[in-house]
Amino acid sequence: MTSTSKKKARRPLIGPMERARRQANYIRLLAFLVAVMMLIVGLKLGLYPEIYLLGVAGLLAYPLVAQTILVIANRRDIREKAAHQFLMQLDAMLIGMTCALLHFALVPSLVLLIIVHANAVTSGGLKPWLLNQLMTTIGAVVMGAILGFAYIPLGEPVPVVMIVVSLLGLGIYVGASSAFAHYQARYLREAQELVRRQQQQAVELSRKLAKYLPPQIWGSIFSGKRDAKLETRRKRLTVFFSDIKGFSAISEELPLETLTSMLNTYLSEMTRIALRHGGTIDKFIGDAVMVFFGDPNSEGAIEDAYRCVLMGIEMQEQMKLLRQRWKREGIEHKLEIRIGINTGYVTVGNFGTDSRMDYTILGTDVNLASRLESACRPGGVLISEATQELVKDRIQCRNMGDIQVKGFNRPIPVFEAMGAKKDSGAKNRYVSAQTAGFGIHLDVERVRNFDKNTILKTLARSATELKKDSAVSVDYEAEGFSLHVDSGAIKKRERDRIINMMGQAAKRVQTQVRV
């Protein structure tokens, strides 16, 4: 590395605000150098006594004093704006005193007044400018009284050299001020660009962090409604647990890439359903999912329990679609999930340390929900009596009797959630079937209106080709709908039933999905 590059490497980085402060000091130094030039020219021309050299020394020393004041103010945590306003008024007083030293010579005094008051207007506004005028007057009166109010009469000509020096100094000051304004604007743009980049980085970081937090918690923290501190409370929640039956054995048989893709697809679908119903996703534990309803947002115990059970039913229906998809991808394992739901009072909040927290729930009723999930039959939704009491008016439930679960001395009454009463009979929102060469899944409440015509055309074309005994190969998926048809694998005795099923599905889409 060369010596030049080493110097560049050692050079400290200066921020836009620091550069602006330095240039402001340079402008102050330039203003007082203009005043010094006027006094020195006057002294050379014999207009002023030699004792005025003390004034020259004071004017040269003042910019250093001003810089020292700023440093002290910064060390004492005095607001920079307040220190700047103080120095601006001190500048005005000294310029007023300088006008008195110049014996109020018209052109030099006007030049100094223009310099100091222009700076006050651009830097402070109307009120600081009015105060600036007052301080200039005070400085001129005080120094004028000391000097006996000596002045150059208006009729007496001021030497041309002094006028030229004054105007030259004004020109230099205006040019320097303009350059300062230009650089200040550039630094401001740089600062704005830096802030924009930092904001963008913060947004990107928050998006990444949001993936590790429930959306409700992430939103409340970033909006300021919730603080990240250790705190807990007792609250009545509905708790949900699910896992995939025999997942450990399946994970040993499938290739790693296939297993990873399958698990991520499963968790993504379950997450979408949970968020759509308003659940707070506590955690994923391998293939297990833990969700609760009632915190941080709650719609009331009854509504929270209903949404949770409805979510579980929809998850089981969505698994039918996923199984059809996985089978087409060559995964022959019949993946089924078990779901357990319980309602009760739990402890909810932030657990851990100040440096590492986990927003979760604890309590006996949480354990019971986990035990119900373990006792549930594959493909079922097992709920406790407490949950059943809250949802029985809107959910069809079947009494499964009492079961004995680990950690509880008494038998636990349990129920199986069969479906929403509003979806019973002909109103059932789901159509799902699978056989050799055919698979269909329909959830009319999730079908999007802009997919309706495409779904109807796909069903009609597939049914028509099957009736003609033509070759049909269809793999189509949309939100809430999946269709797989491979005419070569369909048994002849199944064709009429399949055609009839596609017709029923098309009828439901036609009548229940509105454009």
mmCIF file of all heavy atoms in Angstrom, residues 27-45 48 52-64 94-95 97-99 101-102 108-109 111-112 115 161-162 165-166 169-170 173:
data_model
loop_
_atom_site.group_PDB
_atom_site.id
_atom_site.type_symbol
_atom_site.label_atom_id
_atom_site.label_comp_id
_atom_site.label_asym_id
_atom_site.label_seq_id
_atom_site.Cartn_x
_atom_site.Cartn_y
_atom_site.Cartn_z
ATOM 1 N N ILE A 27 -17.634 30.275 7.045
ATOM 2 C CA ILE A 27 -18.384 31.472 6.643
ATOM 3 C C ILE A 27 -18.263 32.559 7.702
ATOM 4 O O ILE A 27 -18.106 33.744 7.392
ATOM 5 C CB ILE A 27 -19.866 31.108 6.396
ATOM 6 C CG1 ILE A 27 -19.993 30.234 5.153
ATOM 7 C CG2 ILE A 27 -20.733 32.354 6.248
ATOM 8 C CD1 ILE A 27 -19.572 30.913 3.869
ATOM 9 N N ARG A 28 -18.341 32.143 8.987
ATOM 10 C CA ARG A 28 -18.180 33.127 10.073
ATOM 11 C C ARG A 28 -16.780 33.740 10.014
ATOM 12 O O ARG A 28 -16.615 34.969 10.148
ATOM 13 C CB ARG A 28 -18.414 32.437 11.420
ATOM 14 C CG ARG A 28 -18.089 33.369 12.614
ATOM 15 C CD ARG A 28 -18.393 32.725 13.957
ATOM 16 N NE ARG A 28 -19.829 32.664 14.171
ATOM 17 C CZ ARG A 28 -20.546 31.561 14.162
ATOM 18 N NH1 ARG A 28 -19.951 30.383 13.943
ATOM 19 N NH2 ARG A 28 -21.841 31.587 14.360
ATOM 20 N N LEU A 29 -15.763 32.885 9.816
ATOM 21 C CA LEU A 29 -14.392 33.388 9.725
ATOM 22 C C LEU A 29 -14.249 34.364 8.571
ATOM 23 O O LEU A 29 -13.609 35.432 8.712
ATOM 24 C CB LEU A 29 -13.435 32.203 9.541
ATOM 25 C CG LEU A 29 -11.951 32.549 9.329
ATOM 26 C CD1 LEU A 29 -11.402 33.293 10.543
ATOM 27 C CD2 LEU A 29 -11.145 31.287 9.056
ATOM 28 N N LEU A 30 -14.876 34.047 7.437
ATOM 29 C CA LEU A 30 -14.791 34.929 6.272
ATOM 30 C C LEU A 30 -15.441 36.276 6.551
ATOM 31 O O LEU A 30 -14.902 37.338 6.170
ATOM 32 C CB LEU A 30 -15.472 34.262 5.071
ATOM 33 C CG LEU A 30 -15.477 35.054 3.765
ATOM 34 C CD1 LEU A 30 -14.043 35.367 3.319
ATOM 35 C CD2 LEU A 30 -16.211 34.286 2.677
ATOM 36 N N ALA A 31 -16.599 36.278 7.234
ATOM 37 C CA ALA A 31 -17.290 37.533 7.539
ATOM 38 C C ALA A 31 -16.409 38.441 8.390
ATOM 39 O O ALA A 31 -16.306 39.658 8.136
ATOM 40 C CB ALA A 31 -18.608 37.248 8.260
ATOM 41 N N PHE A 32 -15.742 37.855 9.385
ATOM 42 C CA PHE A 32 -14.912 38.700 10.260
ATOM 43 C C PHE A 32 -13.584 39.058 9.604
ATOM 44 O O PHE A 32 -12.982 40.076 9.939
ATOM 45 C CB PHE A 32 -14.715 38.003 11.608
ATOM 46 C CG PHE A 32 -15.914 38.136 12.498
ATOM 47 C CD1 PHE A 32 -16.938 37.210 12.456
ATOM 48 C CD2 PHE A 32 -16.052 39.239 13.340
ATOM 49 C CE1 PHE A 32 -18.066 37.348 13.251
ATOM 50 C CE2 PHE A 32 -17.171 39.393 14.138
ATOM 51 C CZ PHE A 32 -18.191 38.443 14.094
ATOM 52 N N LEU A 33 -13.113 38.251 8.645
ATOM 53 C CA LEU A 33 -11.936 38.646 7.875
ATOM 54 C C LEU A 33 -12.220 39.864 7.022
ATOM 55 O O LEU A 33 -11.363 40.740 6.840
ATOM 56 C CB LEU A 33 -11.472 37.474 6.989
ATOM 57 C CG LEU A 33 -10.712 36.352 7.695
ATOM 58 C CD1 LEU A 33 -10.373 35.244 6.708
ATOM 59 C CD2 LEU A 33 -9.423 36.901 8.345
ATOM 60 N N VAL A 34 -13.465 39.953 6.478
ATOM 61 C CA VAL A 34 -13.866 41.134 5.713
ATOM 62 C C VAL A 34 -13.812 42.370 6.610
ATOM 63 O O VAL A 34 -13.300 43.438 6.219
ATOM 64 C CB VAL A 34 -15.275 40.937 5.127
ATOM 65 C CG1 VAL A 34 -15.782 42.250 4.499
ATOM 66 C CG2 VAL A 34 -15.272 39.832 4.077
ATOM 67 N N ALA A 35 -14.329 42.233 7.856
ATOM 68 C CA ALA A 35 -14.294 43.360 8.802
ATOM 69 C C ALA A 35 -12.853 43.739 9.134
ATOM 70 O O ALA A 35 -12.504 44.936 9.218
ATOM 71 C CB ALA A 35 -15.057 42.987 10.067
ATOM 72 N N VAL A 36 -11.983 42.738 9.324
ATOM 73 C CA VAL A 36 -10.572 42.995 9.631
ATOM 74 C C VAL A 36 -9.901 43.732 8.480
ATOM 75 O O VAL A 36 -9.118 44.685 8.689
ATOM 76 C CB VAL A 36 -9.854 41.667 9.933
ATOM 77 C CG1 VAL A 36 -8.339 41.867 9.927
ATOM 78 C CG2 VAL A 36 -10.303 41.122 11.273
ATOM 79 N N MET A 37 -10.201 43.314 7.236
ATOM 80 C CA MET A 37 -9.616 43.973 6.070
ATOM 81 C C MET A 37 -9.982 45.452 6.042
ATOM 82 O O MET A 37 -9.132 46.324 5.753
ATOM 83 C CB MET A 37 -10.108 43.296 4.789
ATOM 84 C CG MET A 37 -9.491 41.920 4.539
ATOM 85 S SD MET A 37 -10.342 41.020 3.219
ATOM 86 C CE MET A 37 -10.283 42.217 1.893
ATOM 87 N N MET A 38 -11.226 45.760 6.361
ATOM 88 C CA MET A 38 -11.662 47.168 6.360
ATOM 89 C C MET A 38 -10.897 47.981 7.401
ATOM 90 O O MET A 38 -10.429 49.098 7.126
ATOM 91 C CB MET A 38 -13.162 47.245 6.645
ATOM 92 C CG MET A 38 -14.033 46.623 5.576
ATOM 93 S SD MET A 38 -15.765 46.681 6.064
ATOM 94 C CE MET A 38 -16.531 45.803 4.704
ATOM 95 N N LEU A 39 -10.764 47.403 8.616
ATOM 96 C CA LEU A 39 -10.062 48.126 9.680
ATOM 97 C C LEU A 39 -8.586 48.323 9.326
ATOM 98 O O LEU A 39 -8.004 49.399 9.556
ATOM 99 C CB LEU A 39 -10.182 47.362 10.994
ATOM 100 C CG LEU A 39 -11.439 47.644 11.826
ATOM 101 C CD1 LEU A 39 -11.488 46.730 13.036
ATOM 102 C CD2 LEU A 39 -11.480 49.102 12.271
ATOM 103 N N ILE A 40 -7.974 47.262 8.753
ATOM 104 C CA ILE A 40 -6.547 47.372 8.405
ATOM 105 C C ILE A 40 -6.325 48.427 7.328
ATOM 106 O O ILE A 40 -5.383 49.229 7.403
ATOM 107 C CB ILE A 40 -6.015 45.998 7.955
ATOM 108 C CG1 ILE A 40 -5.956 45.045 9.151
ATOM 109 C CG2 ILE A 40 -4.648 46.135 7.303
ATOM 110 C CD1 ILE A 40 -5.518 43.636 8.789
ATOM 111 N N VAL A 41 -7.222 48.455 6.324
ATOM 112 C CA VAL A 41 -7.101 49.483 5.281
ATOM 113 C C VAL A 41 -7.261 50.864 5.889
ATOM 114 O O VAL A 41 -6.522 51.812 5.561
ATOM 115 C CB VAL A 41 -8.147 49.237 4.169
ATOM 116 C CG1 VAL A 41 -8.204 50.439 3.222
ATOM 117 C CG2 VAL A 41 -7.799 47.982 3.394
ATOM 118 N N GLY A 42 -8.231 51.013 6.809
ATOM 119 C CA GLY A 42 -8.437 52.303 7.470
ATOM 120 C C GLY A 42 -7.234 52.716 8.276
ATOM 121 O O GLY A 42 -6.856 53.904 8.315
ATOM 122 N N LEU A 43 -6.602 51.726 8.950
ATOM 123 C CA LEU A 43 -5.399 52.024 9.718
ATOM 124 C C LEU A 43 -4.257 52.444 8.799
ATOM 125 O O LEU A 43 -3.486 53.370 9.112
ATOM 126 C CB LEU A 43 -4.998 50.794 10.542
ATOM 127 C CG LEU A 43 -5.880 50.483 11.771
ATOM 128 C CD1 LEU A 43 -5.594 49.085 12.303
ATOM 129 C CD2 LEU A 43 -5.638 51.536 12.870
ATOM 130 N N LYS A 44 -4.118 51.753 7.663
ATOM 131 C CA LYS A 44 -3.066 52.095 6.705
ATOM 132 C C LYS A 44 -3.264 53.497 6.129
ATOM 133 O O LYS A 44 -2.296 54.218 5.851
ATOM 134 C CB LYS A 44 -3.053 51.065 5.569
ATOM 135 C CG LYS A 44 -2.518 49.701 5.954
ATOM 136 C CD LYS A 44 -1.024 49.755 6.230
ATOM 137 C CE LYS A 44 -0.459 48.367 6.513
ATOM 138 N NZ LYS A 44 1.023 48.451 6.774
ATOM 139 N N LEU A 45 -4.532 53.865 5.948
ATOM 140 C CA LEU A 45 -4.824 55.187 5.396
ATOM 141 C C LEU A 45 -4.805 56.281 6.463
ATOM 142 O O LEU A 45 -4.995 57.454 6.150
ATOM 143 C CB LEU A 45 -6.196 55.180 4.703
ATOM 144 C CG LEU A 45 -6.314 54.283 3.468
ATOM 145 C CD1 LEU A 45 -7.754 54.274 2.961
ATOM 146 C CD2 LEU A 45 -5.368 54.779 2.369
ATOM 147 N N TYR A 48 -7.858 55.740 11.322
ATOM 148 C CA TYR A 48 -8.141 55.307 12.687
ATOM 149 C C TYR A 48 -6.843 55.243 13.479
ATOM 150 O O TYR A 48 -5.766 54.997 12.914
ATOM 151 C CB TYR A 48 -8.801 53.929 12.684
ATOM 152 C CG TYR A 48 -9.969 53.842 11.735
ATOM 153 C CD1 TYR A 48 -9.956 52.919 10.684
ATOM 154 C CD2 TYR A 48 -11.069 54.691 11.860
ATOM 155 C CE1 TYR A 48 -11.010 52.826 9.806
ATOM 156 C CE2 TYR A 48 -12.117 54.607 10.977
ATOM 157 C CZ TYR A 48 -12.095 53.679 9.946
ATOM 158 O OH TYR A 48 -13.139 53.614 9.077
ATOM 159 N N TYR A 52 -6.686 50.790 17.557
ATOM 160 C CA TYR A 52 -7.739 49.951 16.966
ATOM 161 C C TYR A 52 -7.205 48.582 16.543
ATOM 162 O O TYR A 52 -7.969 47.688 16.186
ATOM 163 C CB TYR A 52 -8.360 50.649 15.754
ATOM 164 C CG TYR A 52 -9.351 51.741 16.125
ATOM 165 C CD1 TYR A 52 -9.373 52.274 17.408
ATOM 166 C CD2 TYR A 52 -10.250 52.228 15.177
ATOM 167 C CE1 TYR A 52 -10.267 53.282 17.728
ATOM 168 C CE2 TYR A 52 -11.163 53.227 15.491
ATOM 169 C CZ TYR A 52 -11.159 53.753 16.786
ATOM 170 O OH TYR A 52 -12.043 54.742 17.105
ATOM 171 N N LEU A 53 -5.851 48.439 16.613
ATOM 172 C CA LEU A 53 -5.282 47.113 16.334
ATOM 173 C C LEU A 53 -5.799 46.072 17.334
ATOM 174 O O LEU A 53 -5.853 44.877 17.040
ATOM 175 C CB LEU A 53 -3.754 47.174 16.390
ATOM 176 C CG LEU A 53 -3.075 47.875 15.191
ATOM 177 C CD1 LEU A 53 -1.589 48.054 15.453
ATOM 178 C CD2 LEU A 53 -3.296 47.030 13.918
ATOM 179 N N LEU A 54 -6.175 46.566 18.536
ATOM 180 C CA LEU A 54 -6.775 45.654 19.507
ATOM 181 C C LEU A 54 -8.095 45.093 18.974
ATOM 182 O O LEU A 54 -8.431 43.927 19.178
ATOM 183 C CB LEU A 54 -7.006 46.386 20.831
ATOM 184 C CG LEU A 54 -5.742 46.826 21.595
ATOM 185 C CD1 LEU A 54 -6.118 47.635 22.835
ATOM 186 C CD2 LEU A 54 -4.932 45.598 21.980
ATOM 187 N N GLY A 55 -8.830 45.954 18.266
ATOM 188 C CA GLY A 55 -10.074 45.493 17.640
ATOM 189 C C GLY A 55 -9.802 44.460 16.562
ATOM 190 O O GLY A 55 -10.541 43.466 16.420
ATOM 191 N N VAL A 56 -8.728 44.686 15.785
ATOM 192 C CA VAL A 56 -8.347 43.714 14.748
ATOM 193 C C VAL A 56 -8.026 42.365 15.384
ATOM 194 O O VAL A 56 -8.473 41.300 14.914
ATOM 195 C CB VAL A 56 -7.139 44.232 13.946
ATOM 196 C CG1 VAL A 56 -6.616 43.144 13.019
ATOM 197 C CG2 VAL A 56 -7.514 45.480 13.160
ATOM 198 N N ALA A 57 -7.257 42.404 16.478
ATOM 199 C CA ALA A 57 -6.904 41.161 17.169
ATOM 200 C C ALA A 57 -8.155 40.456 17.697
ATOM 201 O O ALA A 57 -8.289 39.227 17.605
ATOM 202 C CB ALA A 57 -5.930 41.458 18.308
ATOM 203 N N GLY A 58 -9.071 41.231 18.242
ATOM 204 C CA GLY A 58 -10.301 40.635 18.766
ATOM 205 C C GLY A 58 -11.138 40.001 17.669
ATOM 206 O O GLY A 58 -11.687 38.902 17.853
ATOM 207 N N LEU A 59 -11.233 40.676 16.529
ATOM 208 C CA LEU A 59 -12.020 40.128 15.414
ATOM 209 C C LEU A 59 -11.388 38.864 14.850
ATOM 210 O O LEU A 59 -12.090 37.947 14.408
ATOM 211 C CB LEU A 59 -12.161 41.178 14.310
ATOM 212 C CG LEU A 59 -13.023 42.409 14.661
ATOM 213 C CD1 LEU A 59 -12.979 43.427 13.532
ATOM 214 C CD2 LEU A 59 -14.464 41.984 14.931
ATOM 215 N N LEU A 60 -10.046 38.801 14.844
ATOM 216 C CA LEU A 60 -9.373 37.591 14.368
ATOM 217 C C LEU A 60 -9.524 36.436 15.363
ATOM 218 O O LEU A 60 -9.603 35.268 14.964
ATOM 219 C CB LEU A 60 -7.886 37.880 14.141
ATOM 220 C CG LEU A 60 -7.558 38.764 12.933
ATOM 221 C CD1 LEU A 60 -6.066 39.102 12.910
ATOM 222 C CD2 LEU A 60 -7.952 38.055 11.638
ATOM 223 N N ALA A 61 -9.553 36.772 16.650
ATOM 224 C CA ALA A 61 -9.646 35.725 17.668
ATOM 225 C C ALA A 61 -11.072 35.197 17.826
ATOM 226 O O ALA A 61 -11.268 34.045 18.249
ATOM 227 C CB ALA A 61 -9.150 36.259 19.012
ATOM 228 N N TYR A 62 -12.061 36.022 17.480
ATOM 229 C CA TYR A 62 -13.455 35.626 17.757
ATOM 230 C C TYR A 62 -13.868 34.314 17.090
ATOM 231 O O TYR A 62 -14.522 33.486 17.737
ATOM 232 C CB TYR A 62 -14.406 36.751 17.349
ATOM 233 C CG TYR A 62 -15.852 36.312 17.412
ATOM 234 C CD1 TYR A 62 -16.469 36.024 18.620
ATOM 235 C CD2 TYR A 62 -16.592 36.138 16.242
ATOM 236 C CE1 TYR A 62 -17.789 35.595 18.670
ATOM 237 C CE2 TYR A 62 -17.908 35.702 16.283
ATOM 238 C CZ TYR A 62 -18.501 35.439 17.505
ATOM 239 O OH TYR A 62 -19.788 35.014 17.547
ATOM 240 N N PRO A 63 -13.546 34.058 15.792
ATOM 241 C CA PRO A 63 -13.963 32.770 15.201
ATOM 242 C C PRO A 63 -13.450 31.558 15.972
ATOM 243 O O PRO A 63 -14.144 30.544 16.083
ATOM 244 C CB PRO A 63 -13.381 32.822 13.786
ATOM 245 C CG PRO A 63 -13.319 34.283 13.471
ATOM 246 C CD PRO A 63 -12.946 34.935 14.768
ATOM 247 N N LEU A 64 -12.234 31.674 16.537
ATOM 248 C CA LEU A 64 -11.710 30.583 17.353
ATOM 249 C C LEU A 64 -12.510 30.435 18.641
ATOM 250 O O LEU A 64 -12.788 29.324 19.109
ATOM 251 C CB LEU A 64 -10.230 30.831 17.663
ATOM 252 C CG LEU A 64 -9.291 30.857 16.445
ATOM 253 C CD1 LEU A 64 -7.868 31.195 16.883
ATOM 254 C CD2 LEU A 64 -9.318 29.521 15.722
ATOM 255 N N LEU A 94 -20.975 41.975 17.696
ATOM 256 C CA LEU A 94 -19.599 42.320 17.327
ATOM 257 C C LEU A 94 -19.549 43.125 16.033
ATOM 258 O O LEU A 94 -18.701 44.028 15.876
ATOM 259 C CB LEU A 94 -18.769 41.049 17.200
ATOM 260 C CG LEU A 94 -18.465 40.326 18.514
ATOM 261 C CD1 LEU A 94 -17.731 39.022 18.255
ATOM 262 C CD2 LEU A 94 -17.634 41.217 19.440
ATOM 263 N N ILE A 95 -20.434 42.818 15.084
ATOM 264 C CA ILE A 95 -20.476 43.594 13.839
ATOM 265 C C ILE A 95 -20.920 45.021 14.135
ATOM 266 O O ILE A 95 -20.401 45.993 13.546
ATOM 267 C CB ILE A 95 -21.416 42.922 12.825
ATOM 268 C CG1 ILE A 95 -20.791 41.618 12.305
ATOM 269 C CG2 ILE A 95 -21.725 43.862 11.663
ATOM 270 C CD1 ILE A 95 -19.491 41.796 11.559
ATOM 271 N N MET A 97 -20.326 46.626 16.899
ATOM 272 C CA MET A 97 -19.148 47.265 17.499
ATOM 273 C C MET A 97 -18.118 47.610 16.432
ATOM 274 O O MET A 97 -17.446 48.651 16.511
ATOM 275 C CB MET A 97 -18.550 46.329 18.553
ATOM 276 C CG MET A 97 -19.499 46.037 19.716
ATOM 277 S SD MET A 97 -18.880 44.793 20.874
ATOM 278 C CE MET A 97 -17.631 45.740 21.718
ATOM 279 N N THR A 98 -17.990 46.725 15.413
ATOM 280 C CA THR A 98 -17.044 46.996 14.323
ATOM 281 C C THR A 98 -17.471 48.228 13.524
ATOM 282 O O THR A 98 -16.624 49.033 13.098
ATOM 283 C CB THR A 98 -16.946 45.777 13.394
ATOM 284 O OG1 THR A 98 -16.587 44.628 14.162
ATOM 285 C CG2 THR A 98 -15.905 46.009 12.315
ATOM 286 N N CYS A 99 -18.778 48.387 13.314
ATOM 287 C CA CYS A 99 -19.272 49.581 12.623
ATOM 288 C C CYS A 99 -18.865 50.845 13.379
ATOM 289 O O CYS A 99 -18.504 51.871 12.769
ATOM 290 C CB CYS A 99 -20.800 49.524 12.472
ATOM 291 S SG CYS A 99 -21.364 48.285 11.291
ATOM 292 N N LEU A 101 -16.203 51.025 15.322
ATOM 293 C CA LEU A 101 -14.764 51.159 15.119
ATOM 294 C C LEU A 101 -14.458 51.801 13.769
ATOM 295 O O LEU A 101 -13.452 52.517 13.615
ATOM 296 C CB LEU A 101 -14.092 49.788 15.205
ATOM 297 C CG LEU A 101 -13.954 49.156 16.602
ATOM 298 C CD1 LEU A 101 -13.430 47.744 16.490
ATOM 299 C CD2 LEU A 101 -13.024 50.012 17.477
ATOM 300 N N LEU A 102 -15.307 51.541 12.766
ATOM 301 C CA LEU A 102 -15.125 52.126 11.439
ATOM 302 C C LEU A 102 -15.656 53.559 11.369
ATOM 303 O O LEU A 102 -15.692 54.160 10.294
ATOM 304 C CB LEU A 102 -15.839 51.263 10.401
ATOM 305 C CG LEU A 102 -15.245 49.869 10.149
ATOM 306 C CD1 LEU A 102 -16.189 49.047 9.281
ATOM 307 C CD2 LEU A 102 -13.875 49.986 9.492
ATOM 308 N N PRO A 108 -18.566 50.733 4.135
ATOM 309 C CA PRO A 108 -18.113 49.591 4.942
ATOM 310 C C PRO A 108 -19.173 49.118 5.946
ATOM 311 O O PRO A 108 -19.371 47.919 6.126
ATOM 312 C CB PRO A 108 -16.870 50.125 5.642
ATOM 313 C CG PRO A 108 -16.368 51.194 4.748
ATOM 314 C CD PRO A 108 -17.595 51.861 4.194
ATOM 315 N N SER A 109 -19.861 50.082 6.591
ATOM 316 C CA SER A 109 -20.878 49.700 7.582
ATOM 317 C C SER A 109 -22.048 48.982 6.918
ATOM 318 O O SER A 109 -22.560 47.979 7.435
ATOM 319 C CB SER A 109 -21.382 50.948 8.321
ATOM 320 O OG SER A 109 -20.332 51.551 9.056
ATOM 321 N N VAL A 111 -21.932 47.242 4.176
ATOM 322 C CA VAL A 111 -21.466 45.912 3.778
ATOM 323 C C VAL A 111 -21.535 44.941 4.954
ATOM 324 O O VAL A 111 -22.044 43.816 4.843
ATOM 325 C CB VAL A 111 -20.035 45.984 3.219
ATOM 326 C CG1 VAL A 111 -19.417 44.585 3.115
ATOM 327 C CG2 VAL A 111 -20.036 46.666 1.859
ATOM 328 N N LEU A 112 -21.063 45.382 6.130
ATOM 329 C CA LEU A 112 -21.086 44.510 7.306
ATOM 330 C C LEU A 112 -22.512 44.201 7.753
ATOM 331 O O LEU A 112 -22.832 43.073 8.143
ATOM 332 C CB LEU A 112 -20.303 45.148 8.451
ATOM 333 C CG LEU A 112 -18.791 45.272 8.235
ATOM 334 C CD1 LEU A 112 -18.130 45.940 9.438
ATOM 335 C CD2 LEU A 112 -18.171 43.895 8.004
ATOM 336 N N ILE A 115 -24.014 41.630 5.455
ATOM 337 C CA ILE A 115 -23.476 40.301 5.723
ATOM 338 C C ILE A 115 -24.154 39.658 6.931
ATOM 339 O O ILE A 115 -24.642 38.528 6.872
ATOM 340 C CB ILE A 115 -21.949 40.371 5.938
ATOM 341 C CG1 ILE A 115 -21.241 40.662 4.610
ATOM 342 C CG2 ILE A 115 -21.416 39.081 6.557
ATOM 343 C CD1 ILE A 115 -19.747 40.886 4.745
ATOM 344 N N VAL A 161 -10.111 53.249 -1.996
ATOM 345 C CA VAL A 161 -9.515 51.951 -1.678
ATOM 346 C C VAL A 161 -10.364 51.204 -0.652
ATOM 347 O O VAL A 161 -10.617 50.000 -0.765
ATOM 348 C CB VAL A 161 -8.075 52.127 -1.160
ATOM 349 C CG1 VAL A 161 -7.498 50.787 -0.716
ATOM 350 C CG2 VAL A 161 -7.199 52.750 -2.238
ATOM 351 N N MET A 162 -10.841 51.942 0.334
ATOM 352 C CA MET A 162 -11.650 51.315 1.393
ATOM 353 C C MET A 162 -12.987 50.828 0.840
ATOM 354 O O MET A 162 -13.493 49.776 1.219
ATOM 355 C CB MET A 162 -11.855 52.301 2.540
ATOM 356 C CG MET A 162 -12.369 51.653 3.796
ATOM 357 S SD MET A 162 -12.248 52.788 5.194
ATOM 358 C CE MET A 162 -12.798 51.703 6.508
ATOM 359 N N VAL A 165 -12.243 47.709 -1.250
ATOM 360 C CA VAL A 165 -11.996 46.556 -0.370
ATOM 361 C C VAL A 165 -13.301 46.059 0.241
ATOM 362 O O VAL A 165 -13.551 44.846 0.339
ATOM 363 C CB VAL A 165 -10.985 46.938 0.733
ATOM 364 C CG1 VAL A 165 -10.923 45.858 1.811
ATOM 365 C CG2 VAL A 165 -9.607 47.163 0.131
ATOM 366 N N SER A 166 -14.182 47.007 0.648
ATOM 367 C CA SER A 166 -15.465 46.625 1.243
ATOM 368 C C SER A 166 -16.320 45.858 0.247
ATOM 369 O O SER A 166 -16.880 44.789 0.568
ATOM 370 C CB SER A 166 -16.207 47.872 1.727
ATOM 371 O OG SER A 166 -15.457 48.568 2.677
ATOM 372 N N GLY A 169 -14.820 42.467 -0.513
ATOM 373 C CA GLY A 169 -15.109 41.555 0.596
ATOM 374 C C GLY A 169 -16.546 41.059 0.553
ATOM 375 O O GLY A 169 -16.820 39.880 0.800
ATOM 376 N N LEU A 170 -17.487 41.971 0.212
ATOM 377 C CA LEU A 170 -18.891 41.574 0.103
ATOM 378 C C LEU A 170 -19.071 40.549 -1.019
ATOM 379 O O LEU A 170 -19.791 39.549 -0.853
ATOM 380 C CB LEU A 170 -19.763 42.810 -0.156
ATOM 381 C CG LEU A 170 -21.254 42.531 -0.373
ATOM 382 C CD1 LEU A 170 -21.875 41.879 0.865
ATOM 383 C CD2 LEU A 170 -21.993 43.830 -0.726
ATOM 384 N N TYR A 173 -17.733 37.258 0.078
ATOM 385 C CA TYR A 173 -18.632 36.649 1.070
ATOM 386 C C TYR A 173 -19.883 36.068 0.399
ATOM 387 O O TYR A 173 -20.311 34.955 0.724
ATOM 388 C CB TYR A 173 -19.030 37.681 2.120
ATOM 389 C CG TYR A 173 -19.987 37.128 3.152
ATOM 390 C CD1 TYR A 173 -19.519 36.412 4.242
ATOM 391 C CD2 TYR A 173 -21.366 37.307 3.017
ATOM 392 C CE1 TYR A 173 -20.392 35.872 5.175
ATOM 393 C CE2 TYR A 173 -22.252 36.772 3.940
ATOM 394 C CZ TYR A 173 -21.757 36.062 5.027
ATOM 395 O OH TYR A 173 -22.628 35.537 5.936
#
